[in-house]
Amino acid sequence: MKILVTIKRVTDYEAKLQIDSSGNKIKLDGVNMIANPFDEIAVEEALRLKEKHDGEVCVLSIGTADATQQIRAAMAMGADRGILVKTDNPLDCTALSQVIAHVAGEEKPDLVFMGKQAIDDDSHQVAEMVAERMGAPQATQAYKVSVEGDWVTVVREADGGLETVSVKMPCVVTSDLRLNEPRYASLPGIMKAKKKPLDERELSTLGLSIKQSMTIQKLELPPTKTTGEMVPDVQTLVSKLHDVEKVL
Amino acid sequence: MSQVHLIVAEYDSNHLKKACLSAITAAQKVGGTCHGLVLGKGVKHFADAFAKYVDTVHYAEHDALEHRLAQPDAKVIADVAKSAGATHVWAAATVNGKDVMPRVAVRLEAAMASDISSVVNEKTYQRPMWAGDITGTVELHTPVQVITVRPTEFAPAEQKAAGQIQSVSVDPGDVQMKFVGFDEVKSERPELTEASIVVSGGRGVKSPEGFKKLIEPLADHLNAAIGASRAVCDAGWVPNDWQVGQTGKVVAPKLYFAIGISGAIQHVAGMKGSKCIVAINKDPEAPIFQVADYGLVGDAATLVPELIEKLKAL
Ligand SMILES: Cc1cc2nc3c(=O)[nH]c(=O)nc-3n(C[C@H](O)[C@H](O)[C@H](O)COP(=O)(O)OP(=O)(O)OC[C@H]3O[C@@H](n4cnc5c(N)ncnc54)[C@H](O)[C@@H]3O)c2cc1C
Ligand SMILES: Nc1ncnc2c1ncn2[C@@H]1O[C@H](COP(=O)(O)O)[C@@H](O)[C@H]1O
């Protein structure tokens, strides 16, 4: 089975963020960058599927040349090869989905494994857009994944409980947090990763007419809350909630 | 040019969800005509209910629409949007809304804004990014737009004179997905995203038993919903569906208790809109105290039972 996994390079979730002078970008100097945690989970699940059903795991990232770090890290975990589509201008979700669907069209994977959301823009759009462009079914927010014949059965984290759906391959599946715990790369894995094929291409060579249809006008730090008060004991807390806030 | 809105309804087994009424409010902020869409099988009563909030409800009934499968749903939503001449297609940013609306956007060649927290004008919106650390203002440049709405940021729409209902013909297209089953988390408690009081527990309640002994009785006494941190959901102490935060549910009750929760930004992202936040934590330096209206330092195992006693005495 052939699996294409997408990886976005994002700011570390522990980073303290600042907005640069343009007012619509995050200052990236000195900020630690990581693979989107959901994408790491997707890589892990793809590797487990490969271990069970054979095949190949190819990882794809779209971004600056630095994203090779995240691709190599996925290869060190066990992915077989990588593709980087290089662009210095960040793309919006519509454009990203065009690029990913284009690569999927060339690679013809059985399964495109993505993250349910990127923890920087929190858009939760790209995977579903890719599925629609491929004319493929989707199973998002996966909690459990199993494959039988042409069908992938996924238990999803839905509102109000766990939903099970079956989707026919080729399909798009997105990972939720509890799907698995990604493995650490071993030292031999890291050594091997250096020699695995990584195909770097310029976005402009794909022959796509990319239309950016969304612009970020402004980024702002939300107003900080005027700090509340510490209460000395339970009685004071209850009186405040009852008499001052009137929420009881 | 006047705007035409199509708002997708969402319902569970017996009621329209408040979340989709919030999406109507967001559409009303742009202004124009509001159409509603109810999709499903044998759910005409939800079309009747939804008609009390919008000018026209399109009712799409088909066997293929019985369960919320993204593939047929997206096609039908996009088809109705086209025939209604919609300039804006809206849904709540629930699991279903997030699942289907990006596909609708592709079908309509529309740009999309997710999980918006406010409407600036007919093509500009604000939305939380980076786990709510940053608020972004985004502008969409396509003639048709798709928007999902963070329900806690918009009050549910008010009822008005009932609009008309139109049945629409449905072509679900090719569908390569099947619904298999739904394992519902049954609860007598109010729904987490709709409750006026939420009691949440974190790793500081120590164990599943701790959750039962501290969080449940407090929630029972207050008729509150129960929430949890990711750590507690991951550990399997409580259902995943209870997770509050960036990657879980967003809640904004009038009263929120964070008990034994450190206050990581990813958790705070899901509850900082609450009107009154109470934090109980044994660590006086815990970040949760920075967002709390009232903080109490100490051991939850003794403070929570005392709190329940004092509440009973009110
Ligand atoms: C991509 C990503 C997404 C995430 N999404 C979410 C999300 O949606 N929601 C979420 O909640 N988290 C999320 N997290 C995890 C988040 O970063 C924190 O790890 C998590 O919220 C911590 O849970 P906690 O507060 O229960 O545990 P801890 O951080 O371990 O805190 C436990 C707290 O309990 C206190 N305590 C201990 N004993 C007692 C006692 N006896 N009495 C009182 N207090 C006590 C401690 O002082 C401490 O503050 C996400 C993380 C990542 C990387
Ligand atoms: N620049 C990118 N390169 C590769 N994959 C991406 C990129 N941006 C988004 N994705 C994929 O799309 C998923 C959802 O992202 P989003 O819709 O932005 O929340 C992510 O988890 C990634 O798997």
Side-chain angles (χ1 to χ4, degrees), chain A residues 105-125:
Chain A
E106 291 178 352
E107 293 283 331
K108 305 210 171 8
D110 302 298
L111 181 58
V112 181
F113 221 127
M114 304 177 63
K116 83 162 178 183
Q117 82 195 56
I119 61 159
D120 51 0
D121 62 38
D122 286 330
S123 290
H124 200 130
Q125 294 182 14

Side-chain angles (χ1 to χ4, degrees), chain B residues 128-141:
Chain B
M129 300 169 79
W130 279 273
D133 229 3
I134 306 277
T135 304
T137 304
V138 300
E139 186 178 335
L140 307 183
H141 305 293

Side-chain angles (χ1 to χ4, degrees), chain A residues 44-55:
Chain A
E44 174 63 37
E45 198 66 16
L47 294 173
R48 291 185 191 184
L49 287 172
K50 180 190 150 175
E51 282 153 14
K52 215 160 160 186
H53 303 278
D54 281 337

Side-chain angles (χ1 to χ4, degrees), chain A residues 11 116 120 122-123 125 132 136 138 140 160 162 164 166 178 213 215 217-218 220 222 229 231 235 245, chain B residues 99 103 114 130-131 133 135 137 139 141 176 178 180-181 183 185 234 241 243 246-247 293-295 310:
Chain A
T11 50
K116 83 162 178 183
D120 51 0
D122 286 330
S123 290
Q125 294 182 14
E132 185 62 49
Q138 72 189 35
T140 55
L162 293 172
T164 306
S166 284
R178 281 168 280 271
S213 53
T215 37
Q217 291 184 333
K218 199 162 55 177
E220 291 164 283
E229 64 178 282
V231 289
Q235 185 58 57
E245 303 288 337
Chain B
D99 195 44
R103 297 188 74 122
S114 310
W130 279 273
D133 229 3
T135 304
T137 304
E139 186 178 335
H141 305 293
Q176 299 100 1
K178 301 190 283 220
V180 178
D183 183 7
V185 180
D234 283 8
D241 183 47
Q243 179 177 315
Q246 178 190 22
T247 53
D293 296 280
Y294 296 101
K310 293 260 162 35

Side-chain angles (χ1 to χ4, degrees), chain A residues 75-151:
Chain A
M75 289 171 166
M77 286 170 70
D80 300 291
R81 59 190 180 89
I83 302 171
L84 171 65
V85 176
K86 272 195 279 192
T87 165
D88 287 332
N89 300 322
L91 303 182
D92 66 24
C93 292
T94 300
L96 284 164
S97 71
Q98 281 179 277
V99 177
I100 295 170
H102 174 86
V103 174
E106 291 178 352
E107 293 283 331
K108 305 210 171 8
D110 302 298
L111 181 58
V112 181
F113 221 127
M114 304 177 63
K116 83 162 178 183
Q117 82 195 56
I119 61 159
D120 51 0
D121 62 38
D122 286 330
S123 290
H124 200 130
Q125 294 182 14
V126 179
E128 297 78 5
M129 288 179 167
V130 169
E132 185 62 49
R133 286 183 197 284
M134 292 170 63
Q138 72 189 35
T140 55
Q141 307 199 202
Y143 174 67
K144 269 200 189 98
V145 175
S146 57
V147 173
E148 213 174 56
D150 289 344
W151 289 79

Side-chain angles (χ1 to χ4, degrees), chain B:
Chain B
M1 197 190 78
S2 92
Q3 316 294 337
V4 179
H5 303 285
L6 180 69
I7 300 110
V8 182
E10 193 170 336
Y11 50 84
D12 59 18
S13 45
N14 46 38
H15 76 309
L16 271 181
K17 289 198 179 171
K18 266 194 207 162
C20 63
L21 303 181
S22 297
I24 298 177
T25 302
Q28 286 167 344
K29 294 209 189 267
V30 173
T33 348
C34 288
H35 294 239
L37 170 59
V38 173
L39 328 103
K41 185 185 168 187
V43 290
K44 171 81 174 13
H45 54 294
F46 290 127
D48 296 334
F50 208 44
K52 296 188 183 123
Y53 301 92
V54 293
D55 307 313
T56 305
V57 170
H58 304 265
Y59 177 51
E61 170 156 324
H62 196 284
D63 284 350
L65 302 179
E66 179 171 4
H67 302 288
R68 301 276 57 80
L69 296 175
Q71 229 181 352
D73 279 12
K75 174 162 189 306
V76 173
I77 295 168
D79 288 348
V80 172
K82 282 179 200 159
S83 68
T87 54
H88 295 68
V89 187
W90 305 78
T94 52
V95 170
N96 283 332
K98 291 173 180 172
D99 195 44
V100 70
M101 296 306 272
R103 297 188 74 122
V104 173
V106 168
R107 284 191 168 264
L108 297 174
E109 295 186 30
M112 175 168 175
S114 310
D115 204 19
I116 65 158
S117 54
S118 78
V119 172
V120 179
N121 60 40
E122 78 289 349
K123 56 180 181 178
T124 314
Y125 310 92
Q126 289 191 311
R127 54 180 304 269
M129 300 169 79
W130 279 273
D133 229 3
I134 306 277
T135 304
T137 304
V138 300
E139 186 178 335
L140 307 183
H141 305 293
T142 46
V144 179
Q145 303 166 25
V146 171
I147 308 109
T148 59
V149 172
R150 177 170 283 212
T152 53
E153 300 289 336
F154 298 87
E158 304 277 344
Q159 289 197 5
K160 51 165 203 59
Q164 49 166 334
I165 298 177
Q166 286 175 5
S167 284
V168 296
S169 64
V170 172
D171 171 10
D174 288 336
V175 180
Q176 299 100 1
M177 54 193 299
K178 301 190 283 220
F179 171 82
V180 178
F182 186 54
D183 183 7
E184 191 181 347
V185 180
K186 294 223 168 60
S187 162
E188 301 294 307
R189 295 200 176 82
E191 220 267 300
L192 183 54
T193 55
E194 297 185 359
S196 60
I197 304 181
V198 173
V199 179
S200 286
R203 198 146 38 194
V205 304
K206 302 294 186 205
S207 62
E209 295 70 45
F211 221 88
K212 281 212 168 56
K213 269 184 14 218
L214 303 175
I215 305 300
E216 290 188 15
L218 180 57
D220 286 343
H221 180 73
L222 295 168
N223 189 29
I226 297 185
S229 70
R230 174 188 171 188
V232 162
C233 297
D234 283 8
W237 299 359
V238 301
N240 301 335
D241 183 47
W242 292 4
Q243 179 177 315
V244 170
Q246 178 190 22
T247 53
K249 297 234 154 49
V250 178
V251 302
K254 69 180 198 304
L255 180 58
Y256 185 90
F257 287 91
I259 299 173
I261 292 179
S262 59
I265 170 169
Q266 294 86 7
H267 184 81
V268 169
M271 47 66 85
K272 70 175 173 191
S274 309
K275 297 222 172 48
C276 180
I277 298 171
V278 174
I280 299 179
N281 196 303
K282 71 167 190 198
D283 172 11
E285 303 296 319
I288 192 71
F289 289 126
Q290 286 161 23
V291 294
D293 296 280
Y294 296 101
L296 184 56
V297 177
D299 184 355
T302 55
L303 292 175
V304 175
E306 195 187 332
L307 175 60
I308 297 171
E309 283 310 306
K310 293 260 162 35
L311 289 172
K312 282 185 178 156
L314 275 180

